[in-house]
Amino acid sequence: MKAAVFREIGREPSKLLKIEDIETPKIKPNEVLVRIESAAYNYDDLWALYGYPIKVPMPHISGSDAAGTVMEVGEDVTKFQTGDRVVIHPNLSCRVCNACNSGREYDCDDRLVWGYQTGPLWGGFSQYTHMPDTNLVKIPDNLSFKEAAAIAMVGMTSWHMLVGRAKIQPRQTVLVMGGASGIGMAAIQIAKIFNCTVIATAGSKEKIEKCYSLGADFVVNHRLDDWDRKIREITKRAGIDVVIEHIGKTHFPIEIRLLRKGGTLVSTGATTGYDSTIDLRYLFFKGINILGSTQGTKAELEEVVYWTSKGKIKPLIDTILPFGHVAKGLEMMKNGSHFGKILLAPQKI
Protein backbone atom coordinates (compact mmCIF):
# COMPACT_ATOMS: atom_id res chain seq x y z
CA MET A 1 0.00 0.00 0.00
CA LYS A 2 1.00 3.64 -0.26
CA ALA A 3 1.46 5.97 2.71
CA ALA A 4 2.64 9.54 3.33
CA VAL A 5 5.81 9.15 5.38
CA PHE A 6 8.37 11.48 6.89
CA ARG A 7 11.61 10.24 8.43
CA GLU A 8 12.95 13.43 10.01
CA ILE A 9 11.42 16.54 11.54
CA GLY A 10 11.49 20.02 10.04
CA ARG A 11 9.46 22.94 8.76
CA GLU A 12 9.23 22.16 5.05
CA PRO A 13 6.48 19.61 4.31
CA SER A 14 7.22 19.38 0.59
CA LYS A 15 10.81 18.32 1.25
CA LEU A 16 10.19 15.93 4.13
CA LEU A 17 6.90 14.21 3.27
CA LYS A 18 7.08 11.43 0.68
CA ILE A 19 4.62 8.89 -0.70
CA GLU A 20 6.16 5.48 -0.01
CA ASP A 21 5.21 1.88 -0.65
CA ILE A 22 4.96 0.05 2.66
CA GLU A 23 3.51 -3.27 3.77
CA THR A 24 -0.25 -3.45 4.27
CA PRO A 25 -0.94 -3.97 8.01
CA LYS A 26 -1.59 -7.44 9.38
CA ILE A 27 -4.40 -7.27 11.94
CA LYS A 28 -4.53 -8.75 15.44
CA PRO A 29 -7.54 -10.79 16.64
CA ASN A 30 -9.23 -7.67 18.09
CA GLU A 31 -8.46 -5.41 15.15
CA VAL A 32 -10.05 -4.35 11.88
CA LEU A 33 -8.37 -3.48 8.58
CA VAL A 34 -9.82 -0.26 7.16
CA ARG A 35 -9.43 1.03 3.62
CA ILE A 36 -9.19 4.78 4.14
CA GLU A 37 -11.49 6.66 1.79
CA SER A 38 -11.05 10.13 3.28
CA ALA A 39 -8.71 11.70 5.84
CA ALA A 40 -8.70 15.21 7.31
CA TYR A 41 -5.84 17.44 8.39
CA ASN A 42 -5.41 18.82 11.92
CA TYR A 43 -2.80 20.99 13.58
CA ASP A 44 -1.29 17.94 15.27
CA ASP A 45 -0.15 16.85 11.79
CA LEU A 46 1.98 19.99 11.61
CA TRP A 47 3.19 19.58 15.20
CA ALA A 48 4.30 16.03 14.40
CA LEU A 49 6.36 17.26 11.45
CA TYR A 50 7.86 20.03 13.59
CA GLY A 51 8.65 17.65 16.46
CA TYR A 52 6.90 20.08 18.80
CA PRO A 53 5.67 19.97 21.56
CA ILE A 54 6.56 16.27 21.57
CA LYS A 55 8.67 14.12 19.30
CA VAL A 56 6.79 11.41 17.45
CA PRO A 57 7.78 7.84 16.60
CA MET A 58 9.85 7.59 13.41
CA PRO A 59 9.35 6.90 10.56
CA HIS A 60 5.98 8.59 10.90
CA ILE A 61 2.56 8.55 9.26
CA SER A 62 0.34 11.43 10.42
CA GLY A 63 -3.44 11.69 10.27
CA SER A 64 -5.84 11.46 13.23
CA ASP A 65 -9.10 11.93 11.28
CA ALA A 66 -10.15 9.21 8.87
CA ALA A 67 -13.18 7.37 7.55
CA GLY A 68 -13.32 4.30 5.37
CA THR A 69 -14.50 0.80 4.61
CA VAL A 70 -13.89 -2.33 6.67
CA MET A 71 -11.90 -4.79 4.55
CA GLU A 72 -11.04 -7.49 7.09
CA VAL A 73 -11.94 -8.29 10.71
CA GLY A 74 -9.97 -10.17 13.37
CA GLU A 75 -11.21 -13.45 14.75
CA ASP A 76 -12.35 -11.85 18.02
CA VAL A 77 -14.30 -9.03 16.34
CA THR A 78 -18.08 -9.48 16.44
CA LYS A 79 -19.58 -6.01 15.93
CA PHE A 80 -18.10 -5.23 12.52
CA GLN A 81 -18.02 -7.02 9.21
CA THR A 82 -16.49 -6.56 5.79
CA GLY A 83 -18.12 -3.67 3.95
CA ASP A 84 -19.10 -1.64 7.02
CA ARG A 85 -18.63 2.13 6.67
CA VAL A 86 -16.77 3.53 9.67
CA VAL A 87 -15.09 6.60 11.12
CA ILE A 88 -12.15 6.24 13.50
CA HIS A 89 -12.13 7.38 17.13
CA PRO A 90 -8.49 8.50 17.45
CA ASN A 91 -8.26 8.30 21.25
CA LEU A 92 -6.39 5.06 22.01
CA SER A 93 -6.69 4.09 25.67
CA CYS A 94 -6.26 0.99 27.80
CA ARG A 95 -10.04 0.51 28.38
CA VAL A 96 -9.45 -1.13 31.79
CA CYS A 97 -8.16 1.60 34.18
CA ASN A 98 -10.37 3.59 36.56
CA ALA A 99 -10.50 6.57 34.19
CA CYS A 100 -11.55 4.42 31.22
CA ASN A 101 -14.12 2.52 33.27
CA SER A 102 -15.53 5.86 34.46
CA GLY A 103 -16.13 7.00 30.89
CA ARG A 104 -13.06 9.24 30.90
CA GLU A 105 -10.80 7.47 28.40
CA TYR A 106 -9.29 10.87 27.54
CA ASP A 107 -7.78 10.85 31.07
CA CYS A 108 -6.19 7.41 30.68
CA ASP A 109 -2.50 7.46 31.64
CA ASP A 110 -1.77 5.27 28.63
CA ARG A 111 -3.78 7.40 26.18
CA LEU A 112 -2.29 8.04 22.76
CA VAL A 113 -3.64 10.19 19.95
CA TRP A 114 -3.69 7.94 16.90
CA GLY A 115 -1.83 9.43 13.95
CA TYR A 116 0.13 11.76 16.22
CA GLN A 117 1.70 9.79 19.06
CA THR A 118 1.43 6.37 17.40
CA GLY A 119 3.90 4.49 15.26
CA PRO A 120 6.23 3.85 13.68
CA LEU A 121 4.12 3.99 10.50
CA TRP A 122 0.62 4.10 11.98
CA GLY A 123 -1.70 6.93 11.01
CA GLY A 124 -4.48 8.08 8.73
CA PHE A 125 -2.46 9.40 5.79
CA SER A 126 -2.27 5.94 4.28
CA GLN A 127 -4.38 3.77 2.00
CA TYR A 128 -5.08 1.21 4.73
CA THR A 129 -4.80 1.16 8.49
CA HIS A 130 -5.45 -1.22 11.38
CA MET A 131 -7.52 -0.25 14.41
CA PRO A 132 -8.89 -1.96 17.52
CA ASP A 133 -12.61 -2.58 17.00
CA THR A 134 -13.28 -0.43 20.10
CA ASN A 135 -12.04 2.60 18.14
CA LEU A 136 -14.51 2.41 15.29
CA VAL A 137 -17.92 4.04 14.91
CA LYS A 138 -20.30 3.02 12.12
CA ILE A 139 -21.54 5.82 9.92
CA PRO A 140 -25.02 5.83 8.33
CA ASP A 141 -25.48 5.58 4.58
CA ASN A 142 -26.58 9.21 4.24
CA LEU A 143 -23.26 10.46 5.69
CA SER A 144 -20.37 10.52 3.23
CA PHE A 145 -16.83 9.48 4.08
CA LYS A 146 -15.77 13.07 3.43
CA GLU A 147 -18.30 14.50 5.88
CA ALA A 148 -17.42 11.92 8.53
CA ALA A 149 -13.67 12.60 8.29
CA ALA A 150 -14.23 16.37 8.27
CA ILE A 151 -16.31 16.45 11.46
CA ALA A 152 -14.86 13.63 13.57
CA MET A 153 -12.07 15.30 15.59
CA VAL A 154 -13.39 18.86 15.72
CA GLY A 155 -16.96 17.74 16.33
CA MET A 156 -16.04 15.32 19.09
CA THR A 157 -13.74 17.87 20.74
CA SER A 158 -16.39 20.60 20.62
CA TRP A 159 -19.11 18.26 21.92
CA HIS A 160 -16.88 17.28 24.82
CA MET A 161 -16.15 20.92 25.63
CA LEU A 162 -19.76 22.06 25.57
CA VAL A 163 -21.68 19.02 26.73
CA GLY A 164 -19.18 16.84 28.57
CA ARG A 165 -17.32 19.59 30.41
CA ALA A 166 -19.44 22.78 30.47
CA LYS A 167 -22.79 20.92 30.79
CA ILE A 168 -24.53 23.54 28.67
CA GLN A 169 -28.22 24.16 29.18
CA PRO A 170 -30.88 25.67 26.89
CA ARG A 171 -31.13 29.48 26.89
CA GLN A 172 -27.54 29.97 28.04
CA THR A 173 -25.31 32.47 26.25
CA VAL A 174 -22.26 30.82 24.70
CA LEU A 175 -19.22 32.73 23.44
CA VAL A 176 -17.33 30.81 20.75
CA MET A 177 -13.88 32.28 20.22
CA GLY A 178 -12.52 31.79 16.72
CA GLY A 179 -15.88 30.77 15.36
CA ALA A 180 -14.47 30.16 11.87
CA SER A 181 -11.96 27.55 13.09
CA GLY A 182 -12.74 23.84 12.97
CA ILE A 183 -13.53 23.78 16.69
CA GLY A 184 -15.49 27.02 16.42
CA MET A 185 -17.63 25.97 13.48
CA ALA A 186 -18.64 22.77 15.24
CA ALA A 187 -19.21 24.55 18.56
CA ILE A 188 -21.60 27.10 17.04
CA GLN A 189 -23.78 24.36 15.61
CA ILE A 190 -23.71 22.19 18.74
CA ALA A 191 -24.69 25.15 20.94
CA LYS A 192 -27.66 25.84 18.63
CA ILE A 193 -28.81 22.22 18.99
CA PHE A 194 -29.19 23.07 22.69
CA ASN A 195 -31.09 26.29 21.87
CA CYS A 196 -28.41 28.56 23.25
CA THR A 197 -27.71 32.14 22.22
CA VAL A 198 -24.38 32.05 20.39
CA ILE A 199 -21.95 34.93 20.14
CA ALA A 200 -19.02 34.02 17.89
CA THR A 201 -15.83 35.90 17.14
CA ALA A 202 -13.95 36.01 13.85
CA GLY A 203 -11.15 38.05 12.32
CA SER A 204 -12.42 38.97 8.85
CA LYS A 205 -15.59 39.91 7.00
CA GLU A 206 -15.68 36.58 5.17
CA LYS A 207 -15.31 34.61 8.40
CA ILE A 208 -17.92 36.74 10.16
CA GLU A 209 -20.42 35.96 7.39
CA LYS A 210 -19.61 32.26 7.62
CA CYS A 211 -20.29 32.25 11.37
CA TYR A 212 -23.70 33.78 10.74
CA SER A 213 -24.41 31.13 8.10
CA LEU A 214 -23.67 28.42 10.69
CA GLY A 215 -26.29 29.83 13.06
CA ALA A 216 -24.45 32.33 15.25
CA ASP A 217 -26.82 34.96 16.65
CA PHE A 218 -24.10 37.62 16.90
CA VAL A 219 -20.54 37.83 15.56
CA VAL A 220 -17.81 40.19 16.77
CA ASN A 221 -14.41 40.86 15.23
CA HIS A 222 -11.94 39.81 17.93
CA ARG A 223 -9.13 41.71 16.19
CA LEU A 224 -10.71 45.04 17.15
CA ASP A 225 -9.48 46.76 20.30
CA ASP A 226 -13.00 47.11 21.69
CA TRP A 227 -14.26 43.60 20.83
CA ASP A 228 -15.06 42.86 24.48
CA ARG A 229 -17.09 46.07 24.84
CA LYS A 230 -19.25 45.00 21.92
CA ILE A 231 -19.93 41.67 23.63
CA ARG A 232 -20.92 43.45 26.84
CA GLU A 233 -23.35 45.54 24.81
CA ILE A 234 -24.86 42.41 23.25
CA THR A 235 -25.41 40.79 26.66
CA LYS A 236 -26.53 44.09 28.23
CA ARG A 237 -23.65 43.59 30.65
CA ALA A 238 -25.20 40.36 31.98
CA GLY A 239 -22.11 38.37 31.00
CA ILE A 240 -21.41 35.04 29.30
CA ASP A 241 -22.44 31.62 30.63
CA VAL A 242 -19.92 29.52 28.67
CA VAL A 243 -16.76 30.52 26.78
CA ILE A 244 -15.24 28.12 24.25
CA GLU A 245 -11.54 29.02 24.28
CA HIS A 246 -8.60 27.94 22.14
CA ILE A 247 -6.94 31.26 21.27
CA GLY A 248 -4.83 31.54 24.40
CA LYS A 249 -2.59 34.29 25.68
CA THR A 250 -3.87 37.33 23.78
CA HIS A 251 -7.54 36.98 24.72
CA PHE A 252 -7.70 34.71 27.75
CA PRO A 253 -7.70 37.41 30.49
CA ILE A 254 -10.50 39.34 28.75
CA GLU A 255 -12.58 36.19 28.32
CA ILE A 256 -12.38 35.62 32.07
CA ARG A 257 -13.73 39.11 32.70
CA LEU A 258 -16.64 38.54 30.30
CA LEU A 259 -18.02 35.60 32.30
CA ARG A 260 -21.09 36.10 34.45
CA LYS A 261 -21.15 34.89 38.06
CA GLY A 262 -20.85 31.12 38.05
CA GLY A 263 -19.87 31.12 34.38
CA THR A 264 -17.55 28.57 32.78
CA LEU A 265 -14.57 28.84 30.47
CA VAL A 266 -13.47 25.66 28.69
CA SER A 267 -10.00 25.66 27.11
CA THR A 268 -8.67 23.22 24.54
CA GLY A 269 -5.76 25.12 23.01
CA ALA A 270 -3.50 28.17 23.05
CA THR A 271 -2.82 29.28 19.49
CA THR A 272 -1.36 32.67 20.46
CA GLY A 273 0.67 31.39 23.42
CA TYR A 274 0.21 29.46 26.64
CA ASP A 275 1.79 31.78 29.24
CA SER A 276 -1.30 33.83 30.03
CA THR A 277 -2.36 35.56 33.24
CA ILE A 278 -5.65 36.02 35.05
CA ASP A 279 -6.90 38.34 37.76
CA LEU A 280 -7.67 35.88 40.57
CA ARG A 281 -10.33 38.19 41.99
CA TYR A 282 -12.63 37.20 39.12
CA LEU A 283 -12.09 33.57 40.02
CA PHE A 284 -13.29 33.71 43.63
CA PHE A 285 -15.56 36.78 43.71
CA LYS A 286 -17.57 35.61 40.71
CA GLY A 287 -17.25 31.88 41.43
CA ILE A 288 -16.26 31.10 37.86
CA ASN A 289 -15.14 27.73 36.53
CA ILE A 290 -12.03 27.24 34.39
CA LEU A 291 -11.95 23.81 32.77
CA GLY A 292 -9.45 22.07 30.55
CA SER A 293 -10.60 19.76 27.77
CA THR A 294 -8.93 17.42 25.32
CA GLN A 295 -10.50 15.28 22.60
CA GLY A 296 -13.56 13.29 23.75
CA THR A 297 -15.10 9.88 24.22
CA LYS A 298 -16.28 7.37 21.65
CA ALA A 299 -19.84 7.99 22.87
CA GLU A 300 -19.40 11.71 22.14
CA LEU A 301 -18.13 10.93 18.65
CA GLU A 302 -21.25 8.81 18.14
CA GLU A 303 -23.42 11.79 19.15
CA VAL A 304 -21.65 13.97 16.60
CA VAL A 305 -22.11 11.35 13.87
CA TYR A 306 -25.81 11.12 14.73
CA TRP A 307 -26.48 14.88 14.64
CA THR A 308 -24.40 15.29 11.48
CA SER A 309 -26.44 12.58 9.77
CA LYS A 310 -29.59 14.50 10.79
CA GLY A 311 -28.27 17.69 9.19
CA LYS A 312 -27.98 19.59 12.47
CA ILE A 313 -24.18 19.72 12.20
CA LYS A 314 -22.77 20.51 8.77
CA PRO A 315 -19.06 19.95 8.14
CA LEU A 316 -17.37 22.69 6.13
CA ILE A 317 -14.88 21.40 3.57
CA ASP A 318 -12.40 23.76 1.92
CA THR A 319 -10.26 21.50 -0.27
CA ILE A 320 -9.98 17.83 -1.23
CA LEU A 321 -6.48 16.79 -2.28
CA PRO A 322 -5.32 13.67 -4.13
CA PHE A 323 -2.76 11.62 -2.23
CA GLY A 324 0.14 12.83 -4.32
CA HIS A 325 -0.46 16.38 -3.07
CA VAL A 326 -0.39 15.47 0.62
CA ALA A 327 2.33 18.04 1.40
CA LYS A 328 0.17 20.84 -0.04
CA GLY A 329 -2.38 20.28 2.72
CA LEU A 330 0.26 20.84 5.39
CA GLU A 331 1.46 23.98 3.61
CA MET A 332 -2.12 25.26 3.61
CA MET A 333 -2.39 24.52 7.34
CA LYS A 334 0.93 26.25 7.91
CA ASN A 335 -0.11 29.39 6.02
CA GLY A 336 -3.72 29.45 7.19
CA SER A 337 -4.78 29.62 3.55
CA HIS A 338 -8.00 27.66 3.96
CA PHE A 339 -11.51 28.01 5.32
CA GLY A 340 -13.03 24.76 6.51
CA LYS A 341 -11.42 21.34 6.60
CA ILE A 342 -8.72 20.16 4.22
CA LEU A 343 -9.28 16.56 3.16
CA LEU A 344 -7.01 13.96 1.65
CA ALA A 345 -8.15 11.19 -0.73
CA PRO A 346 -5.62 8.37 -0.17
CA GLN A 347 -7.07 6.18 -2.93
CA LYS A 348 -6.53 8.90 -5.56
CA ILE A 349 -2.85 9.32 -6.34
Side-chain angles (χ1 to χ4, degrees):
M1 72 170 189
K2 296 188 182 298
V5 179
F6 62 88
R7 297 178 177 274
E8 57 183 303
I9 61 174
R11 297 266 170 171
E12 299 182 70
S14 60
K15 292 184 178 180
L16 298 172
L17 203 60
K18 305 297 179 184
I19 300 296
E20 298 186 8
D21 288 305
I22 65 172
E23 186 176 354
T24 301
K26 293 180 173 60
I27 60 173
K28 297 176 182 177
N30 69 322
E31 290 186 334
V32 171
L33 180 68
V34 179
R35 170 186 156 110
I36 296 178
E37 310 292 351
S38 185
Y41 291 79
N42 290 287
Y43 276 102
D44 61 8
D45 303 321
L46 269 183
W47 298 335
L49 190 70
Y50 294 167
Y52 174 86
I54 63 173
K55 291 187 177 181
V56 299
M58 292 289 192
H60 195 76
I61 298 173
S62 289
S64 301
D65 261 342
T69 306
V70 173
M71 303 303 292
E72 183 183 351
V73 298
E75 59 188 40
D76 293 341
V77 176
T78 60
K79 294 185 178 180
F80 295 93
Q81 60 185 5
T82 301
D84 282 346
R85 305 170 71 251
V86 297
V87 65
I88 292 172
H89 176 229
N91 191 78
L92 294 164
S93 58
C94 74
R95 304 286 176 176
V96 296
C97 69
N98 286 338
C100 287
N101 285 328
S102 300
R104 297 181 293 109
E105 55 257 42
Y106 47 83
D107 285 337
C108 176
D109 288 337
D110 296 325
R111 179 180 78 97
L112 295 174
V113 178
W114 173 69
Y116 178 42
Q117 297 168 295
T118 54
L121 300 178
W122 190 23
F125 293 170
S126 56
Q127 292 185 317
Y128 295 87
T129 195
H130 61 103
M131 292 300 296
D133 62 342
T134 52
N135 284 84
L136 298 177
V137 171
K138 291 181 182 180
I139 57 177
D141 292 339
N142 70 332
L143 192 64
S144 70
F145 292 119
K146 296 170 186 176
E147 291 170 319
I151 200 60
M153 178 81 85
V154 293
M156 175 184 66
T157 302
S158 298
W159 190 280
H160 182 58
M161 294 176 76
L162 282 164
V163 185
R165 298 293 281 151
K167 312 293 184 188
I168 62 169
Q169 300 295 320
R171 297 191 298 165
Q172 286 186 321
T173 299
V174 177
L175 173 60
V176 179
M177 300 299 297
S181 66
I183 294 292
M185 290 186 288
I188 289 170
Q189 297 178 83
I190 293 168
K192 294 310 295 182
I193 290 174
F194 284 81
N195 293 318
C196 293
T197 297
V198 177
I199 305 172
T201 75
S204 70
K205 180 180 179 180
E206 179 188 13
K207 291 181 178 181
I208 287 171
E209 291 175 352
K210 186 62 68 173
C211 289
Y212 276 122
S213 73
L214 291 170
D217 298 285
F218 305 93
V219 188
V220 172
N221 188 336
H222 58 234
R223 298 189 188 282
L224 300 178
D225 291 337
D226 63 345
W227 70 274
D228 54 320
R229 181 178 63 81
K230 295 182 182 299
I231 289 176
R232 289 190 179 92
E233 291 173 355
I234 292 169
T235 66
K236 296 180 171 56
R237 306 191 71 83
I240 301 294
D241 292 296
V242 178
V243 175
I244 295 301
E245 153 59 20
H246 52 100
I247 292 181
K249 181 178 181 178
T250 58
H251 289 66
F252 190 90
I254 300 173
E255 294 160 7
I256 293 293
R257 295 199 295 270
L258 287 171
L259 286 168
R260 68 165 69 220
K261 290 181 179 178
T264 298
L265 180 147
V266 189
S267 171
T268 194
T271 306
T272 63
Y274 59 84
D275 53 339
S276 186
T277 60
I278 64 170
D279 185 332
L280 291 175
R281 291 172 295 181
Y282 289 97
L283 186 65
F284 51 80
F285 277 131
K286 296 176 71 173
I288 62 174
N289 308 287
I290 302 176
L291 305 176
S293 182
T294 180
Q295 286 216 6
T297 67
K298 181 181 175 182
E300 289 167 329
L301 175 56
E302 289 173 336
E303 288 283 359
V304 169
V305 167
Y306 171 81
W307 288 107
T308 305
S309 73
K310 296 299 182 182
K312 297 296 185 180
I313 301 174
K314 297 177 181 178
L316 292 185
I317 297 171
D318 179 278
T319 303
I320 301 173
L321 298 171
F323 208 23
H325 293 175
V326 60
K328 181 180 178 180
L330 289 177
E331 294 288 356
M332 292 174 67
M333 292 285 293
K334 181 179 175 181
N335 300 328
S337 57
H338 64 289
F339 191 82
K341 297 294 286 186
I342 306 167
L343 300 184
L344 188 64
Q347 305 303 326
K348 296 180 181 180
I349 303 299

